[in-house]
């Protein structure tokens, strides 16, 4: 009798643990139900993949968090490099596995993948956050197959607290616009927007907001902590680079957007040393890293609403820099600039002129 009670006791404990996981699988992965999440990311992916379908030639896919969504001007880089360019900038809080999955299903042999990863990616551990779990189990279930079995279990566990809301909203559809709905009554020739709202994503899949910076001079942000770099992340990037190489696809890293603030000004030698650890790690793992780090570090007037986002003028300026970096890489020559300040001033003047030309095309309506 005592033995039966013990078995029953542990059976109840096991059932109380397994039952929520089964329910989590059904309502969060198999038949995902509505909870608040970043549904605009799914819409942005749809827009970008619609654009990539129009390209048949070898291309360069720029993919990262929002430093590319709010910091790349696709038609400009295409013009300056004579290469097809696709902007897959999304959200820096996404697991890197989502980016890997997008590359796998969109890249073709002879493509180049350019990843200006935000510095936080080099420090992140491989655990799943509640934010990530909520998004992966609403609009992003298609990406879960990219994760390890341990991560899959973690996603299930992190999703359990959302079950009451999912049951409550069982008949609520996920609020995702189709590509046709997004493009309805839009100015398809426009490159610029006056807003950062999700409907401001133009048909190139990017947001170039023609507004002044919302950041103040007292902004601070710890971009890089050399002691906090995670070897696992570099190993992961190396493994993925090797995987792509077998498909005749090249993975290249470059520097993300950062702001020139009091404790992170890459035009000061003592601050430039802060990213040497990243450079050395990339070199040690055989990862290609291109570009001039100082040219990724922008003055506040070129920023938009966060430390990783540029406004339209900043995005145009950054794209001019990126185009020169890409051209040097394609030509197999080092990018060497004798006078960075003179070079920057020339590009700033060109960026202003291009911005005026884009304004004449009108704005991507919201």
């Amino acid at each position: 009798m005592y033995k039966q009670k013990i078995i029953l006791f542990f059976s109840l404990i096991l059932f109380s643990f397994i039952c929520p996981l089964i329910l989590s699988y059904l309502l969060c992965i198999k038949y995902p139900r509505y909870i608040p999440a970043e549904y605009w990311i799914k819409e942005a992916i749809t827009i970008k993949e619609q654009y990539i379908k129009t390209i048949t030639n070898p291309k360069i896919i720029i993919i990262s968090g929002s430093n590319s969504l709010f910091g790349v001007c696709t038609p400009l880089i295409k013009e300056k490099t004579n290469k097809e360019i696709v902007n897959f900038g999304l959200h820096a809080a996404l697991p890197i596995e989502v980016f890997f999955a997008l590359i796998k299903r969109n890249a073709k042999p002879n493509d180049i993948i350019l990843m200006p990863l935000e510095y936080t990616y080099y420090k992140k551990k491989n655990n799943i956050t509640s934010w990530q779990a909520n998004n992966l189990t609403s609009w992003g279930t298609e990406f879960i197959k990219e994760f390890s079995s341990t991560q899959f279990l973690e996603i299930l566990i992190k999703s359990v607290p959302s079950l009451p809301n999912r049951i409550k909203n069982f008949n609520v559809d996920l609020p995702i616009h189709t590509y046709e709905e997004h493009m309805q009554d839009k100015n398809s020739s426009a490159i610029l927007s006056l807003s950062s709202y999700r409907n401001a994503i133009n048909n190139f899949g990017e947001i170039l907001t023609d507004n002044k910076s919302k950041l103040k001079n007292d902004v601070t942000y710890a971009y890089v902590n050399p002691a906090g770099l995670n070897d696992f992340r570099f190993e992961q990037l190396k493994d993925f680079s090797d995987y792509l190489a077998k498909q005749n696809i090249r993975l290249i890293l470059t520097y993300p957007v950062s702001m020139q603030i009091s404790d992170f000004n890459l035009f000061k030698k003592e601050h430039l040393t802060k990213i040497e650890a990243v450079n050395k790690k990339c070199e040690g793992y055989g990862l290609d890293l291109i570009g001039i780090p100082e040219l990724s570090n922008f003055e506040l007037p070129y920023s938009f609403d966060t430390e990783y986002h540029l406004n339209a003028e900043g995005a145009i300026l950054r794209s001019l820099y990126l185009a020169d970096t890409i051209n040097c890489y394609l030509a197999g020559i080092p990018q060497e600039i004798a006078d960075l300040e003179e070079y920057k001033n020339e590009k700033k003047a060109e960026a202003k002129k291009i911005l005026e030309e884009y304004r004449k095309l009108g704005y991507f309506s919201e």
Side-chain angles (χ1 to χ4, degrees), residues 76-77 79-81 267 292 294-299 302 312-328 335-358:
L76 178 58
I77 301 180
E79 175 190 338
K80 295 293 184 178
T81 62
F267 284 85
I292 297 175
E294 294 94 321
L295 297 180
S296 68
N297 193 220
F298 291 83
E299 297 94 332
Y302 293 107
E313 187 171 357
I316 292 168
L317 178 60
R318 187 215 191 174
S319 297
L320 291 172
Y321 294 158
L322 266 183
D324 285 349
T325 296
I326 291 169
N327 282 333
C328 287
Q335 188 179 15
E336 297 175 348
I337 299 173
D339 190 329
L340 276 179
E341 283 300 329
E342 181 181 351
Y343 173 83
K344 281 178 60 181
N345 289 334
E346 290 176 359
K347 296 299 179 182
K348 286 178 180 179
E350 186 177 357
K352 284 186 178 294
K353 182 179 178 181
I354 293 170
L355 178 60
E356 289 301 322
E357 293 173 356
Y358 287 168

Side-chain angles (χ1 to χ4, degrees), residues 220-250:
T220 59
Y221 189 77
Y223 284 104
V224 182
N225 176 7
L229 298 181
N230 188 345
D231 279 314
F232 171 80
R233 186 64 72 211
F234 292 90
E235 292 168 3
Q236 193 178 29
L237 285 167
K238 175 59 176 172
D239 288 345
F240 191 62
S241 176
D242 291 343
Y243 166 83
L244 292 178
K246 293 176 182 177
Q247 322 299 318
N248 198 24
I249 300 169
R250 286 179 282 175

